[in-house]
Amino acid sequence: MKMNTKTILVVDDEPRTRQGIKQMLELWAAGRYTVETADNGVEAGRRLGQERVHLLITDVRMPEVSGLDLIRSLKGDTRRPVVIVISGYAEFHYVQEALQLGAVNYLLKPLDKQELLRVVEDALRREEEEQRREKLEKLVDPKLLEIDPEQAGMGEPVKEALAYVEQHLQESFSMAEIAGRIHLNASYFSVLFKEQTGVSFSEYVSRLRIQRAKEMLLHTRLSIAEIGERVGYRTDKYFIKVFKSLEAVSPSRYRQQYTKGPDEIQ
């Protein structure tokens, strides 16, 4: 598989159909995608288990392992490709089952070149949107999403604290200092903050700092130490420790996982 290109796998036991699709897609792709083929479901299943495939185009009826079997085997796979199925008019009930299993579109034989390209382009757009959505979900801390300053029941002192932390995240501050700024006793502020946000003040600050760090890891080329400093950590050692406690991986590993070639969030 070529580096920095997405892979399309065409699976069909009819050589003319398989090679015809490959040739049309390679001409259209002009190097933007790698187009591979498999002549049976067994070989396709092996490839799907070993390498990343972004778009699977498969005949629904094949000996041993059918296209439907392939789609079923992808259930729960975090690297599941988008799927287009191919069938004859007499096999349309298989198409309906394939769509229920998660295929995004279908093509009927004999294949029309313009229809093939239209369906493939649409499927690849869906794949890109899905990848972007998944990455954004991994980027955003769900606990932070639950904290809304506009929600009913959140008082002005906690809102002021949230705003201050947001604006001074790079600085060093303590809960007692924040409580003093909003004229509250530190112990009372601690209880109030957790009651209205669902997390302790220290956990909120850590999560927000790591959230900002994740954004910088994906969108900048700053070093780990520079990012740690920009989100309020005085040593990269402590920054890495907090990051790993919340994300289960180091900052450098996180950056490697989520910034790979064409899948990088822009």
Side-chain angles (χ1 to χ4, degrees), residues 68-129:
L68 295 178
D69 293 330
L70 276 180
I71 300 172
R72 289 191 191 97
S73 73
L74 296 170
K75 185 176 182 180
D77 190 337
T78 56
R79 301 189 309 166
R80 177 189 175 104
V82 288
V83 181
I84 296 170
V85 293
I86 306 169
S87 81
Y89 283 99
E91 305 162 340
F92 194 71
H93 59 287
Y94 290 113
V95 170
Q96 292 174 314
E97 186 174 351
L99 293 174
Q100 290 172 353
L101 290 170
V104 300
N105 217 325
Y106 63 91
L107 292 162
L108 295 176
K109 297 177 181 179
L111 301 182
D112 176 81
K113 178 181 178 181
Q114 295 306 316
E115 179 69 4
L116 168 66
L117 297 182
R118 184 190 68 78
V119 169
V120 165
E121 287 175 347
D122 179 66
L124 288 168
R125 276 195 297 269
R126 291 195 188 199
E127 191 273 338
E128 288 177 1
E129 289 169 3

Side-chain angles (χ1 to χ4, degrees), residues 12-60:
D12 199 304
D13 58 337
E14 296 180 9
R16 285 186 61 186
T17 301
R18 185 174 66 250
Q19 291 305 317
I21 294 174
K22 177 180 171 66
Q23 289 171 9
M24 281 191 280
L25 292 182
E26 285 183 332
L27 185 63
W28 161 80
R32 293 176 298 156
Y33 301 97
T34 298
V35 184
E36 300 181 350
T37 63
D39 59 11
N40 62 76
V42 176
E43 171 66 12
R46 184 186 68 78
R47 291 198 188 185
L48 287 164
Q50 293 180 348
E51 63 185 74
R52 179 68 190 273
V53 172
H54 300 84
L55 171 60
L56 171 66
I57 303 175
T58 180
D59 193 359
V60 290

Side-chain angles (χ1 to χ4, degrees), residues 57-217:
I57 303 175
T58 180
D59 193 359
V60 290
R61 291 191 67 187
M62 293 181 292
E64 296 185 71
V65 176
S66 70
L68 295 178
D69 293 330
L70 276 180
I71 300 172
R72 289 191 191 97
S73 73
L74 296 170
K75 185 176 182 180
D77 190 337
T78 56
R79 301 189 309 166
R80 177 189 175 104
V82 288
V83 181
I84 296 170
V85 293
I86 306 169
S87 81
Y89 283 99
E91 305 162 340
F92 194 71
H93 59 287
Y94 290 113
V95 170
Q96 292 174 314
E97 186 174 351
L99 293 174
Q100 290 172 353
L101 290 170
V104 300
N105 217 325
Y106 63 91
L107 292 162
L108 295 176
K109 297 177 181 179
L111 301 182
D112 176 81
K113 178 181 178 181
Q114 295 306 316
E115 179 69 4
L116 168 66
L117 297 182
R118 184 190 68 78
V119 169
V120 165
E121 287 175 347
D122 179 66
L124 288 168
R125 276 195 297 269
R126 291 195 188 199
E127 191 273 338
E128 288 177 1
E129 289 169 3
E130 180 66 17
Q131 290 300 310
R132 185 174 291 274
R133 184 188 64 79
E134 288 179 3
K135 284 190 173 183
L136 289 174
E137 284 180 355
K138 290 170 182 173
L139 177 64
V140 177
D141 187 322
K143 285 200 174 183
L144 292 180
L145 283 178
E146 294 173 3
I147 300 172
D148 180 8
E150 302 306 315
Q151 70 188 30
M154 185 171 288
E156 286 303 317
V158 172
K159 288 182 181 180
E160 286 182 39
L162 292 174
Y164 184 88
V165 171
E166 180 88 19
Q167 294 164 15
H168 298 82
L169 202 59
Q170 186 175 348
E171 301 171 17
S172 177
F173 52 77
S174 67
M175 185 184 70
E177 289 171 339
I178 303 300
R181 285 181 173 276
I182 55 178
H183 312 294
L184 288 179
N185 171 273
S187 297
Y188 175 67
F189 170 69
S190 175
V191 173
L192 189 69
F193 189 92
K194 185 165 187 178
E195 183 181 88
Q196 295 186 7
T197 65
V199 296
S200 68
F201 179 78
S202 61
E203 181 182 353
Y204 172 75
V205 173
S206 293
R207 286 184 177 277
L208 188 59
R209 281 176 166 157
I210 297 308
Q211 174 69 46
R212 290 278 179 82
K214 289 192 292 183
E215 293 168 6
M216 282 189 255
L217 285 166

